[in-house]
Amino acid sequence: MPELPEVETVRRAVARALSGQRLTRVHARRHDLRVPLPRDFARRLEGRRVRKVARRAKFLLVHLDGRDVLVAHLGMSGRMRLFRKPAPRAERHDHVEIEAGRRVLRFNDPRRFGLMALVPKDKLAGHKWFRSLGPEPLGADFTGRRLAERLKGRRTSLKAALMDQRIVAGLGNIYVSEAMFRAGLSPRRRAGSVQGALAGKLARAIKSVLRAAIAAGGSTLRDHRRPSGEIGYFQHRFAVYGREGKPCPGCTCDIKKTGGIKRLVQGGRATFYCPRKQG
DNA sequence: AACAAGACCTGCATGC
DNA sequence: TGCATGCAGGTCTTGT
């Protein structure tokens, strides 16, 4: 489910609730997540104080005093929910519960593609999850030039390249389609051919769609909820994603003649695009 | 090295 | 209604 804007929405809520708090009680209801939780997971967290809550790509990083960083990934169906004590009864697929003062944070993940892990601070940068990640698209150093460098020589499709976390970190199926639409680039185009001004246009499109989505609280299709339980609203602003056969925004052509937005499958994943605007 | 395809796990929408 | 099927926003591994 969650791509960069959804994880960022979660990060902000968790940061507000937990920054400066001490973790008073940690309970793992099941240990067999995608990456099995260590036996001493709870013990290593209890008593630690939260320094800051950060994000890298789609990973949430809870920096603590002491040795470890709590790393979380929401996979496809993961959710973080925040409650005030007394928290309601735990639900099915609530795998981990963390109490901090009068707050309770619960990690719920039906499909168990998500993970929680403890990584020692000094091992974080070199860890396999982080060492080969591409640039943060909302960072100041993510420019057209930087993107062009990373796409150069790639013979795969632009769609597949933008899904690759080593090229740009944090995009997923939804925002890749939306960004290519904003940039007017075909998903089938050879990735390495996007250079110069086109790469600049694409970098700006990626930034603009991510910023707009974060401002809307992310997109709620099935799974994503903000930790407060509120939904996100960006799904109402999709130009192409999930809109096969519908007109794209600002389109003046006759939908009966053009067929509207097209869906195609690339690498087993659906891609949505407007053939007229994304030649 | 780059790339494609399959695996992982569960829930839900769809169609019969 | 019940059942089978296919599909879902991500990442990792394997094989070419």
Side-chain angles (χ1 to χ4, degrees):
Chain A
M1 129 206 173
E3 305 180 37
L4 188 152
E6 289 74 35
V7 179
E8 178 61 20
T9 302
V10 170
R11 185 197 69 76
R12 291 178 184 188
V14 172
R16 253 197 319 275
L18 298 193
S19 292
Q21 299 289 315
R22 200 177 283 286
L23 307 183
T24 43
R25 181 180 159 274
V26 175
H27 176 56
R29 198 165 265 102
R30 66 187 293 174
H31 287 256
D32 59 335
L33 307 185
R34 173 154 65 90
V35 175
L37 290 180
R39 296 237 69 86
D40 59 355
F41 179 76
R43 186 179 58 71
R44 281 160 70 182
L45 285 172
E46 281 171 354
R48 302 272 69 81
R49 196 179 283 282
V50 176
R51 284 257 162 78
K52 71 173 177 184
V53 183
R55 179 189 56 72
R56 174 74 172 109
K58 300 169 196 169
F59 289 89
L60 208 57
L61 303 172
V62 182
H63 291 270
L64 306 162
D65 58 6
R67 180 169 72 111
D68 296 314
V69 178
L70 172 62
V71 176
H73 194 292
L74 301 177
M76 300 248 284
S77 59
R79 288 177 58 181
M80 296 287 182
R81 306 170 74 194
L82 279 163
F83 302 97
R84 278 175 212 280
K85 284 185 196 167
R89 230 187 131 76
E91 292 175 17
R92 194 162 147 75
H93 307 304
D94 279 343
H95 303 316
V96 176
E97 177 165 275
I98 296 174
E99 297 182 19
R102 44 164 52 106
R103 305 289 198 151
V104 179
L105 176 69
R106 287 205 184 122
F107 174 56
N108 178 291
D109 184 14
R111 252 182 278 178
R112 283 189 287 136
F113 279 18
L115 64 88
M116 273 194 163
L118 297 174
V119 177
K121 274 177 190 148
D122 54 326
K123 302 263 166 61
L124 198 62
H127 195 283
K128 65 172 178 182
W129 294 333
F130 302 102
R131 67 178 169 226
S132 51
L133 285 176
E136 279 294 321
L138 294 178
D141 59 344
F142 182 69
T143 59
R145 184 178 305 236
R146 185 96 191 273
L147 178 57
E149 266 169 32
R150 305 199 68 89
L151 292 173
K152 195 167 183 179
R154 303 277 174 165
R155 306 188 59 79
T156 191
S157 67
L158 180 60
K159 165 74 189 302
L162 293 178
M163 292 287 285
D164 186 337
Q165 302 298 297
R166 294 170 300 185
I167 293 179
V168 191
L171 299 178
N173 214 32
I174 293 176
Y175 297 104
V176 165
S177 277
E178 293 295 316
M180 291 186 297
F181 172 79
R182 288 188 182 211
L185 291 170
S186 166
R188 288 195 161 101
R189 187 182 177 119
R190 191 158 63 78
S193 75
V194 179
Q195 294 288 308
L198 279 183
K201 195 173 182 191
L202 180 55
R204 286 191 298 278
I206 290 169
K207 285 176 191 275
S208 77
V209 73
L210 295 178
R211 287 201 185 106
I214 291 168
S219 305
T220 296
L221 290 178
R222 298 175 177 70
D223 303 310
H224 171 65
R225 290 290 171 120
R226 306 171 74 165
S228 58
E230 290 173 277
I231 62 170
Y233 292 96
F234 195 70
Q235 66 280 9
H236 302 303
R237 311 247 296 274
F238 290 164
V240 289
Y241 184 82
R243 306 190 66 245
E244 184 180 13
K246 296 187 175 142
C248 70
C251 189
T252 51
C253 37
D254 183 351
I255 192 84
K256 289 199 184 101
K257 285 188 191 143
T258 64
I261 290 161
K262 295 273 181 273
R263 177 185 195 270
L264 73 106
V265 174
Q266 295 177 289
R269 314 299 294 270
T271 304
F272 298 89
Y273 71 109
C274 168
R276 280 153 297 283
K277 292 191 178 148
Q278 297 172 256

